[in-house]
Every structure is written in C-alpha cells, then in structure tokens.
Amino acid sequence: MVDHDLLDHRLADGGIQGIVRKWLCSFISGRGQRVALGREMSSHHPLVCGVPQGTILSPMLFNIFMHPLAHIIQSFGLGCHQYADDTQLYLLMDGHTDSIPDTLTRCLEAVAGWFRGSRLKLNPSKTEVLWLGRDGMGMRDQLPSLAGAQLVPLPSVKSLGVILDVSLSMEAQVTTAKSTFSHLRRIKQLVPYLSRPNLATAIHAMVTSRLDYCNSLYAGLPLKLSQKLQRVQNAAARLRTGSLPWQHIHPVLFQLHWLLVEYRVRFKVLVLTFKALHGLGPSYLRDCLSWYAPRRTLRSIFSNTLEVPGSKEVRLASTRARAFSALAPAWWNALSLETRVLRDLISFRRACKTELFCLAFGLESV
C-alpha cells in the first residue's frame, strides 16, 4: 500500500537527495505482477505502490513512509511509539478523569485524514484501547470514534506480542509463557532423533527464547507468578540434560550455566539501564534515571551510583515495587563498583552475568 510517488516526496523531505534518492526510487519502480493458474498466465500488471517483501530495504522504506504520522500525533500533545505498522498513542490524564480531552478527538480526526491523504486504509476494528487507571470502564461512552467506529476500553490488549491488562499484573502474559510446556512435550518426542547440539537449539528456539522475550516486564512480579515461569525453565533444563524429576534443580541449572528466571529478569533490566545511561537506549528510559549527587562532597560521589526515587516521587506502593525508575537504580547500585564503571557493553554484559550467577548460586565473586 506504499504509494511510490508519495514515498519519493517523503524521501526528499527526509533529506535523501541525489544519487541515493534515485537509487531507492529505481529499487521500487518498474516492478509488476501477474497471476498464474495452471498453464494460464494473466497479462503483466505494473505496480505503482508497495515495497518488495523479503528485502532488507523494504522495512526501512516503510518506516520512512510512516514517519510523518508520529509528528502529527505529537503536535496534539500525545505520546507516540511506532514499530513498523504498529502505532501506539499515549494520553496522560494527570488524574482528571471527568471527561476525555478534546485534543484526543482532534488527534484521531487528523490521523484518519493523514491515512486518507497517504492512500492507506485505516482499520478501526483492529484499534484497541487500554485504560490504565481507576474507573476505566466508566469512560466507555466518552471515548471518541475513529473512522466512524466507536472506541471502547478493553480489559486487556496485546502489544507486540505482550498481553497487558488494566492493572499491569502480567498474569495473562505469564500464563501464555507457561503454555510452552506443550512445546517441551513435542521436543521430548524428538529426543531420540536429535543430537545434543540440535536438542539445545530446539529448546532455546521454542522455550527459553519465549521466557526471555520482553522479560524485563516481569520485574517485581509476585512470587506465585515468577514461580510459574521458573517451573518452565526447570522442565527445559531437565529435558536438556536428561536429569530425573526428583533430582534437585539447582545443580542442573548450574551445570548449564543458566541464570534463574528472576536473575534473567534482573540481567535484562540492568542491560537496559546500561544502554540508557550510555546513549544506547531509548531517551524515555534515560529520563527515568539520574546520577546520585550528594549535597556535600563525599567519596560516594565517585561511586557511579544512581538516585533511588523516594515515596513522594513514586507514590503508589504497587508502582514503586515494579517501576523502572525505582527498580533499575536499586539493582544498579547493588552491582560492584568494578562492574558499574565499565564503558563497553560486551564487557558489562559479561561482568554483570558473572556477578548475578555468583549471587544466584551463592558463589564467591570472581
């Protein structure tokens, strides 16, 4: 659906000129398609829209085509995140839930108009609304419409494969991750036919990768939920090593050099913290962090620690226990000074994992 003429104009607006622009235009132009049915072949039909699937350039060109949409949304004071064809709008109500701001209605009208002007079809049936706050369902009749369809808040939505509910409990997402037991049963049937390296690859592809996907959102989960995830990892470790169900799991995980689930979550949060502090991560995470600055000149000023926000800054206890702005500084400050002062990402990942591995299994730090 990417119109070639419009894409050419947006390449120019983005500062792409000269030979590079001509090269990109020649990449998408001059293409056609035809339909084959048995031995019959339709006539050749030239394509004036669309980017070739399966090429490296196509996702980049599509992102360039969609980029102006973010500026339109932000011009109305709303936050916006974009990932390929997934666009998310964020509206902060500041505790005032009496009525929906008029800016949201005007923003949605502008979005629908931009889609029409870009020759794209907007599908409002795929638009989902999540209300994070009190009395969310009470706003059902006040939400505006999008392209003629009335928007209603839902009890849960899926964002890039992660299920989010109105309380952000992550319980539905944990249940989805727990369903990987079915994959383990299928892999177990293939054990007699797989070599050990192939078995490890299958377990990683079907099980551990699902446990690690967006696992930073599991930070601060209640014990009953984290234990569900740990049972999945335990089953994967037993299948990987062929250990028996009654054998203690810690030696098995130690043998595989696998971090426990709660420490894998901490590792992911610490890596995100490192990236945010060194300009390798998103700016909205960096804005949640600040270096510790004592009022008097103390030796701790050189400790490379972060400021942990107090109860006044993060008021809700449930939020404070899981918020990145509170949890990340606390976990960062718990690292050794030798790890905190590292500047290279690969070196930090290696040192951080070693430190967490020693902490998880009660070893002396190395």
Side-chain angles (χ1 to χ4, degrees):
M1 298 298 291
V2 175
D3 186 272
H4 293 170
D5 291 335
L6 290 176
L7 178 59
D8 183 28
H9 289 298
R10 287 172 190 175
L11 288 172
D13 293 340
I16 301 176
Q17 299 288 353
I19 297 177
V20 176
R21 179 182 167 194
K22 292 180 180 178
W23 179 67
L24 291 174
C25 291
S26 68
F27 171 73
I28 60 175
S29 62
R31 297 180 180 271
Q33 68 179 15
R34 60 178 59 188
V35 179
L37 181 60
R39 296 182 178 182
E40 299 296 326
M41 185 80 68
S42 69
S43 59
H44 184 271
H45 180 74
L47 295 176
V48 296
C49 62
V51 290
Q53 295 188 17
T55 66
I56 297 175
L57 282 176
S58 296
M60 181 195 70
L61 293 174
F62 182 79
N63 288 337
I64 293 174
F65 189 81
M66 296 293 295
H67 185 65
L69 180 60
H71 293 293
I72 293 176
I73 295 171
Q74 293 166 356
S75 67
F76 289 92
L78 276 71
C80 174
H81 285 164
Q82 286 183 293
Y83 184 83
D85 61 344
D86 188 290
T87 302
Q88 299 178 357
L89 283 66
Y90 299 88
L91 175 64
L92 181 63
M93 298 287 289
D94 290 326
H96 304 293
T97 58
D98 296 335
S99 61
I100 298 295
D102 183 57
T103 53
L104 177 59
T105 302
R106 291 188 286 110
C107 178
L108 293 180
E109 292 174 352
V111 167
W114 182 87
F115 268 82
R116 289 192 298 270
S118 299
R119 301 173 188 174
L120 297 174
K121 181 175 176 56
L122 181 62
N123 189 353
S125 64
K126 291 186 176 181
T127 300
E128 299 177 325
V129 179
L130 183 67
W131 184 279
L132 301 174
R134 300 173 182 174
D135 301 326
M137 294 304 173
M139 306 299 294
R140 179 181 297 271
D141 298 330
Q142 299 189 32
L143 288 175
S145 59
L146 176 63
Q150 179 65 39
L151 298 178
V152 295
L154 301 175
S156 64
V157 300
K158 180 174 286 189
S159 174
L160 300 178
V162 177
I163 302 175
L164 302 174
D165 56 62
V166 293
S167 61
L168 296 180
S169 67
M170 302 304 297
E171 188 167 355
Q173 178 63 21
V174 169
T175 302
T176 302
K178 186 184 173 185
S179 65
T180 52
F181 273 120
S182 59
H183 297 294
L184 281 173
R185 287 191 292 268
R186 294 190 184 97
I187 297 174
K188 188 175 182 179
Q189 296 174 351
L190 300 175
V191 168
Y193 312 101
L194 294 176
S195 63
R196 296 185 67 85
N198 289 339
L199 175 62
T201 301
I203 291 175
H204 173 70
M206 303 300 295
V207 181
T208 57
S209 62
R210 295 172 184 263
L211 291 178
D212 290 340
Y213 180 69
C214 292
N215 63 344
S216 58
L217 297 174
Y218 299 147
L221 282 184
L223 183 61
K224 66 175 183 178
L225 292 181
S226 60
Q227 283 180 338
K228 291 181 179 180
L229 299 174
Q230 187 58 55
R231 284 194 287 269
V232 176
Q233 188 192 44
N234 293 349
R238 295 188 193 280
L239 181 60
R240 172 74 174 80
T241 59
S243 58
L244 300 174
W246 54 82
Q247 289 181 280
H248 192 50
I249 193 60
H250 271 217
V252 178
L253 295 173
F254 181 84
Q255 174 189 345
L256 293 172
H257 211 268
W258 284 5
L259 286 173
L260 278 70
V261 168
E262 62 174 306
Y263 289 97
R264 295 171 86 95
V265 172
R266 183 181 294 199
F267 175 74
K268 179 66 72 66
V269 172
L270 289 170
V271 170
L272 287 174
T273 305
F274 179 91
K275 291 182 177 180
L277 292 173
H278 294 83
L280 303 175
S283 58
Y284 59 84
L285 289 184
R286 180 62 183 89
D287 295 340
C288 296
L289 305 171
S290 58
W291 293 109
Y292 172 67
R295 296 180 180 178
R296 295 182 293 117
T297 304
L298 303 173
R299 286 183 297 176
S300 59
I301 195 174
F302 305 107
S303 61
N304 213 42
T305 56
L306 295 172
E307 187 77 34
V308 180
S311 57
K312 292 183 179 180
E313 298 173 72
V314 187
R315 294 185 295 272
L316 297 178
S318 58
T319 304
R320 186 166 60 250
R322 299 183 56 196
F324 179 84
S325 59
L327 207 55
W331 284 349
W332 176 267
N333 296 344
L335 291 173
S336 64
L337 177 61
E338 292 77 8
T339 302
R340 293 199 304 268
V341 297
L342 292 173
R343 291 292 183 266
D344 178 65
L345 177 60
I346 296 178
S347 301
F348 175 81
R349 287 175 61 93
R350 185 183 300 113
C352 182
K353 185 175 180 181
T354 300
E355 198 167 324
L356 293 177
F357 187 81
C358 294
L359 180 63
F361 292 97
L363 305 175
E364 293 289 336
S365 299
V366 291

